[in-house]
Structure formats: structure tokens, C-alpha cells
Amino acid sequence: KTLTEQDISEPIQQLEVNLLESEVAYEAVQYIISSISSKLVGQKISRTEDKNKFILNLLRETLLNIFSHPTQLDIFQEIQKKVENKIPYSIMFLGINGTGKTTTIAKMSRLLAKKGYSVILAASDTYRAGAIEQLETHSQNLGLKILKQKYGSDPAAVARDAKNYATLHNYHVVLIDTAGRIQTSKNLMEELAKIKRVSAPDLTIFVGDSLAGNDLVLQAREFLKTVGFDAIILTKMDADAKGGASISVVYATGKPIIYIGTGQGYDDIQNFDAEWLINKLLS
Amino acid sequence: RVKEGLQAAIRKLIEKDVVDEAAIKEFVRDIQRELLQADVNVKIVFDLSKSIESKLLTERTKSGVSLKERAITLLYDEMVKIMGNEAKIEPPQDKLYVILLVGIQGSGKTTFAAKLAKYFTKKGYKVGLICADIYRPGAYEQLKTLGDSVSTEVFWEKINDAVKIANDGKGYFVSKGKNLIIVDTAGRHKEERSLLDEMRRMEESISPDLTLLVIDGTIGQQAYNQALAFAKTTKVGGLVVTKLDGTAKGGGALTAAAATGSKILFVSNGERVDDIEEFSPTRFAGRILG
Ligand SMILES: Nc1nc2c(ncn2[C@@H]2O[C@H](COP(=O)(O)OP(=O)(O)OP(=O)(O)O)[C@@H](O)[C@H]2O)c(=O)[nH]1
Ligand SMILES: Nc1nc2c(ncn2[C@@H]2O[C@H](COP(=O)(O)OP(=O)(O)OP(=O)(O)O)[C@@H](O)[C@H]2O)c(=O)[nH]1
Ligand SMILES: [Mg+2]
Ligand SMILES: [Mg+2]
């Protein structure tokens, strides 16, 4: 038979609810269901074919398209290229308050150390209470060099000094921590853009909270537009996040998710696997 | 942008020549969209909108203006039912009052502890802060720095027992004549069994007069299940919603209120220790709906 709007209206409504409950942002849900609906109406399915199964396959295809849209990034390949030229590779981390930037930096340095790279930390959050002590404790736990100045000093200067130090002393990777900030604060976003201009990192990573709702899309878009970033890390997936946030943020920015945070320990970071996420969502 | 949402929906409704069933259903669908985009829990959105729809359908013979007022009143009343009216905590000044702060990682507990300390100091209470977070690197330094900025003493011990720290801190501050103690704890979520257990033991041991669940204003659909886990483990007596200086509408906090059966007491709208407000239901509803 040929599918009509009426045939699909109930399963599509149910799909909308399921996607929303799986934590996909409202705007991304509308995009997904309208893309599926337009492919469904007028579609011929055999009498025996289950229309729900047909819809599920279309959904899987639509989600895969969202995730395969960004150019994939092999971070270790990029690092290796610079390391071979004896130039340090620098990575800057940004995002709103409390998403897990500082903790993620600690996890990344563990990953890098396991691959044999030397890492230096730049304490460019010179603002928040306890920020420098927090990163310093991580550096002590992990046996890493940290570059820091006193609170209130210029974050861009700390980042630039860390890069210079890395070059002088042959460190492979510089990880730059920045203070969390709400993306609607013009001054703080300008400060961040300046830190990026001055330190010129090879890679900028947006760190988002997988528990965040529709706001994640607003955050990501504004950081992308005002400062720019190349990749995304979503944290706190161990809180039993359904993972819908990953769809929202990739749909909204076209940037790849490279890792997910799965806990508070140094090893609680995993490669992001779109197939795994889609299976999780559809289960 | 949300301001357009509800106002546009209402305008659409009353500008119709005939407010028939279809017009009401369209209005309800518009409301659902606003609430979903504000991160209110899906089931709550559908329950709330069904209730409004049935009431409006039986009253649609009203004139345009009164229908508009009716729609707004219904919506507001449904939300107040969930988040509560204004409610202030007014602890006695002549005996000890202990407030326990709990919540998910990064929600803003430590920062809020200092804000609350300043809030109560201004009201004449003698406040003490306890750092009972034994996990997060720099947790004590963070609370100590914040405590210094609001001239409030911070108690801490370099031991591996959060419950003992809280108890020792309580004893210490009692001996110092404090009448209001705020206990900051480590972030935790519903899957971390041993941390939930620590929180339960902490509450049993120090018997706080009030346990506040600190909710990140940006939280999405997970708000319900996470808040429920906290409410099952401790007696959540109130909520704090943070980071409302951003673009988050805070629907997750509304959801958490429904899940815990408790009221929103405070709003945090900035990083500074002065960025704290007593909860205002009109302002909060306005934020969600416009
Ligand atoms: N469960 C869990 N907790 C996490 C994860 N990543 C970070 N956290 C916790 O989240 C809290 C905040 O982490 P931070 O690293 O301080 O976050 P931040 O983005 O640097 O915060 P600001 O610098 O204040 O903006 C800490 O308690 C971390 O342990 C994760 O993947 N899972
Ligand atoms: N913009 C903004 N930032 C806030 C607000 N409340 C807290 N923060 C920031 O959010 C981040 C996390 O705050 P914390 O107080 O460390 O959160 P926490 O709940 O104690 O975190 P854990 O102890 O790791 O669970 C910090 O950067 C705070 O400055 C707020 O209302 N607005
Ligand atoms: Mg940080
Ligand atoms: Mg804390």
C-alpha cells in the first residue's frame, strides 16, 4: 500500500515523544521527524512489511546522517604530525560553568600519557575560586608540569607562556583550561576569543554536559559563532544520560563529538561511537 | 524569543472569530511547544496541557478578553501547583539550624553555599560553612576562598569520612556560638550507589533542618529521574535553581519540584556571591512562558 499522512501520524507522534524523552533537543526532534515524514508519505510498502519497522530504519538512517555529516577527527594523528616537526600541539577547552572542562583535561592528559606524549597544563582559569588549586592537584596526581600565575592574571598570557615553555622544553602537548562562562555574557565571550587569538591553539574543544536540555544547542551555537571550536566532548554520560544531547549538539553545530566523559576518574573517558549511541537510543 | 511564544499563542487564540475546539487544540499545542523548549518533563507537559485543554473546552463560550485572562490564569495556576508559591525559610535565631546542600556534579552547590552564608549573615544569623566534599580536588580551597569573601568561617578536616567531617563541624560551630550551619557536599548522580548511600548516612547522622537540592538550570529531561533519586534517599525540603543568568529557561527545576514534591526556594543567577534571589513564582513562570 502507499503510506498517507494519516497512516503515519500516530507513529510519528509517538516517535516525537520518544525522541524528546531520550533528551534530544526540541529543534533537532522537529528536524528529524519532518525529514522522516517527508520520506514516508507516498512511500509504497508491501502488505506484509511493518510500517513501524520501516520508520525505525528511516530513523536510524537519519541519525546516522546527522553523525556522519561532520568531518571526523583523528586527534592523535594530528598531534603526531606536529610532534614529528618538534612543535607542541595545543588544545583549548571551553564551555559554560560546571560542565567538566577541568576534569576532562585531567582525563585527556592520562590518555595522552598512555600514548607516550608529554603534557603540560595551562591554568588559564585565573578567575574562579579554587580553579588553580583544582588543576594543580590533578597535575600532582598525574605527575605533570603545570603553568600557572596568580588569580586575576591575564588568562591569555598564561596560555601563551605555556606554549612557549612547551616549545622551549620539548613538550608534545599543551592543554589549556579556561573559566566556565555563560555564552550570553559579551565581555566573557570576548575574553575567551582573545585567549584563543593570543594562544592560537591547534584544537579547540567545546565541553558540554550531556544532562543539559535545549540550552545545550544555544550554548554550542554561540560558542561556535563567537569563539569557534573544532570538536565536542560531552560529559556525565554515566549519569544514565540517554544520549539525546549528542544528537542535538552535532545537529546544531556540524562538529564531531570526539569523546564522552563517563565518570570522575582519570580513565573515565571513551571514544564517541555514533553506532553505539544510536543503538542505545533505539533500544 | 520565548516571550513571543506564549503571547503569540494567546493572540492567535483570541483573534479567531470562532474559538472552536480546533483553535483551543492549536493553542494547547503552542503551549506544549513552549514548555518542551523550556525543558519541562514530557509527561508533565502533556498532563498539564490536557488539564488546561479540558478546562478551556468547557469555557470557550467566554468572550475574547476573558478567555485570554482565563488561559493565562489556568496556565499560571497549573505551574504554581507544581513549583509552589513564594516560600521563605525563616530559621529560628535562638537555636541551631542546619542546612544540607546536595545535587549533581557541577550544579553550583559550593558557590551557592557561600551565597546562602552571605544571605543569612545579612539577616543577622551567625553562620558557619562545612566542606564535606572529600573527593573533588580543590573543594576545600574553593569553599575557603568563597567563605573568606563573605567573612564566614569554613570547617574542614583532611580525613576520608564526609559524615564525620559534617558531625565534627557541627560540634565545632556549636561551640563557637553559630546558629546557622551550611554543609556543602560532593556532587553525585542517581547511578552512584555508594555516593547516594553516603548522602543518606550524612542526613541520618547530622539531622539537618533543611536539605536543599541544587539543580542546574540547564538540566533537561533527566531532571525528573535524578531528582526522584535524591528525594528517595533524603528528605528534600526545597530546591535551588542555578545558572538562570544564562539562556536556560529552567523547566528542569519545575520538573524536579514535581518529582520531589518540594518547592523552589532560591534562584542563583550569576557567579558572584550576591547573585542569589528568593524564589518568585511569577518571575519564574514568566521565564518559562514569556
Ligand atoms: N559523574 C561524572 N562527573 C563528572 C564528569 N566530568 C566531570 N564531572 C564532575 O563534574 C564536576 C565539575 O567538573 P569541573 O571539571 O570542575 O567542571 P568545569 O567545567 O571545569 O567547571 P568550571 O571551571 O567551574 O566551569 C566535578 O565534580 C567533576 O568531578 C563525568 O563524566 N561524569
Ligand atoms: N553563571 C553562573 N555560574 C554559576 C552559578 N552558580 C554556580 N556557577 C558556576 O558553576 C560552576 C560550578 O559551580 P560549583 O559551585 O563548583 O558546583 P558544585 O555543585 O559545587 O560542583 P561539584 O562540587 O563538583 O559537584 C562554577 O564555575 C560556578 O562559578 C550561577 O548561578 N550562574
Ligand atoms: Mg574548571
Ligand atoms: Mg562543589
Side-chain angles (χ1 to χ4, degrees), chain B residues 133-134 155-166 168:
Chain B
D133 178 349
I134 58 175
F155 178 89
W156 176 71
E157 291 174 294
K158 202 164 166 39
I159 60 177
N160 268 336
D161 185 342
V163 179
K164 182 164 191 325
I165 295 173
D168 291 350

Side-chain angles (χ1 to χ4, degrees), chain A residues 51-97:
Chain A
K51 82 175 166 209
N52 285 320
K53 232 188 182 170
F54 196 81
I55 293 175
L56 214 61
N57 283 330
L58 258 183
L59 174 63
R60 181 177 287 275
E61 193 181 298
T62 308
L63 296 181
L64 267 170
N65 281 338
I66 291 175
F67 283 122
S68 51
H69 169 75
T71 15
Q72 296 314 310
L73 172 70
D74 185 339
I75 186 171
F76 288 105
Q77 202 172 65
E78 298 303 311
I79 294 173
Q80 190 53 28
K81 283 190 214 152
K82 284 208 113 182
V83 162
E84 281 165 3
N85 291 318
K86 302 226 182 295
I87 306 172
Y89 189 91
S90 55
I91 307 176
M92 181 169 117
F93 294 76
L94 43 72
I96 71 154
N97 310 72

Side-chain angles (χ1 to χ4, degrees), chain A residues 16-17 20-21 23 26 30 96-98 127-130 133-134 137-138 180 182-184 188 209 211-215 218-219 236 238-242 264, chain B residues 29 33 36-37 39 42-43 46 104-106 136-138 141-142 145-146 187 189-192 195 216 218-222 226 243 245-248 271-272:
Chain A
E16 181 179 11
V17 170
L20 288 169
E21 289 187 322
E23 302 152 25
Y26 187 85
Q30 298 314 311
I96 71 154
N97 310 72
Y127 167 74
R128 202 210 70 209
E133 289 87 339
Q134 183 184 6
T137 303
H138 285 310
I182 296 288
Q183 81 280 6
T184 46
L188 293 182
D209 188 335
L211 297 176
N214 288 282
D215 199 60
L218 298 179
Q219 296 167 24
K236 308 179 199 171
D238 52 307
D240 190 27
K242 303 266 177 322
Q264 302 186 80
Chain B
R29 172 84 192 179
R33 181 178 56 244
L36 288 170
Q37 288 185 304
D39 297 314
V42 174
K43 288 203 171 59
F46 288 151
I104 296 176
Q105 288 89 348
R136 174 166 158 154
E141 287 79 359
Q142 183 184 10
T145 302
L146 291 167
H189 58 64
K190 70 181 180 72
E191 300 300 313
E192 291 164 324
L195 288 180
D216 190 324
T218 67
I219 194 169
Q221 292 296 317
Q222 272 283 331
Q226 298 287 345
K243 306 181 197 172
D245 45 313
T247 42
E271 284 195 79
R272 299 166 319 152

Side-chain angles (χ1 to χ4, degrees), chain B residues 106-111 133 136 139 142 184-187:
Chain B
S107 60
K109 300 174 289 302
T110 304
T111 313
D133 178 349
R136 174 166 158 154
Q142 183 184 10
D184 182 24
T185 65

Side-chain angles (χ1 to χ4, degrees), chain B residues 6-250:
Chain B
L6 177 65
Q7 293 190 15
I10 301 241
R11 214 178 321 122
K12 236 200 294 171
L13 181 69
I14 63 175
E15 278 172 5
K16 293 238 149 61
D17 318 306
V18 167
V19 179
D20 57 2
E21 189 167 327
I24 294 210
K25 285 196 184 292
E26 179 184 5
F27 172 72
V28 168
R29 172 84 192 179
D30 289 343
I31 296 300
Q32 284 177 348
R33 181 178 56 244
E34 292 313 314
L35 293 173
L36 288 170
Q37 288 185 304
D39 297 314
V40 181
N41 172 273
V42 174
K43 288 203 171 59
I44 292 176
V45 171
F46 288 151
D47 289 346
L48 193 153
S49 56
K50 271 201 194 66
S51 157
I52 291 177
E53 178 175 334
S54 62
K55 292 195 178 103
L56 281 178
L57 283 175
T58 57
E59 303 177 20
R60 76 187 117 118
T61 48
K62 286 189 162 61
S63 69
V65 170
S66 66
L67 185 67
K68 165 185 177 179
E69 287 176 358
R70 188 66 186 132
I72 295 176
T73 308
L74 273 178
L75 203 41
Y76 180 72
D77 287 350
E78 289 293 326
M79 289 175 65
V80 166
K81 261 197 228 153
I82 300 173
M83 63 192 176
N85 259 308
E86 261 109 8
K88 279 173 71 171
I89 4 171
E90 279 162 322
Q93 293 242 9
D94 59 346
K95 55 191 180 82
L96 185 70
Y97 194 89
V98 178
I99 300 176
L100 178 67
L101 298 181
V102 300
I104 296 176
Q105 288 89 348
S107 60
K109 300 174 289 302
T110 304
T111 313
F112 185 72
K115 296 179 193 217
L116 203 59
K118 179 166 187 179
Y119 171 88
F120 280 118
T121 301
K122 280 207 229 158
K123 292 188 178 271
Y125 294 86
K126 304 189 208 70
V127 187
L129 285 164
I130 299 176
C131 170
D133 178 349
I134 58 175
Y135 309 101
R136 174 166 158 154
Y140 168 64
E141 287 79 359
Q142 183 184 10
L143 189 61
K144 174 83 172 75
T145 302
L146 291 167
D148 288 347
S149 75
V150 297
S151 314
T152 304
E153 189 177 355
V154 178
F155 178 89
W156 176 71
E157 291 174 294
K158 202 164 166 39
I159 60 177
N160 268 336
D161 185 342
V163 179
K164 182 164 191 325
I165 295 173
N167 271 298
D168 291 350
K170 202 175 158 192
Y172 171 77
F173 281 131
V174 165
S175 73
K176 287 248 154 169
K178 304 292 187 196
N179 57 9
L180 195 130
I181 297 176
I182 300 164
V183 184
D184 182 24
T185 65
R188 66 204 75 216
H189 58 64
K190 70 181 180 72
E191 300 300 313
E192 291 164 324
R193 283 288 143 76
S194 62
L195 288 180
L196 290 181
D197 188 65
E198 175 196 83
M199 179 172 66
R200 183 189 51 76
R201 283 184 292 108
M202 167 109 38
E203 192 183 60
E204 282 173 8
S205 177
I206 66 171
S207 335
D209 298 276
L210 178 67
T211 297
L212 289 177
L213 174 59
V214 179
I215 296 265
D216 190 324
T218 67
I219 194 169
Q221 292 296 317
Q222 272 283 331
Y224 194 88
N225 288 337
Q226 298 287 345
L228 199 64
F230 279 93
K232 283 191 176 149
T233 315
T234 57
K235 308 186 201 76
V236 174
L239 304 177
V240 177
V241 198
T242 63
K243 306 181 197 172
L244 290 191
D245 45 313
T247 42
K249 310 245 171 56

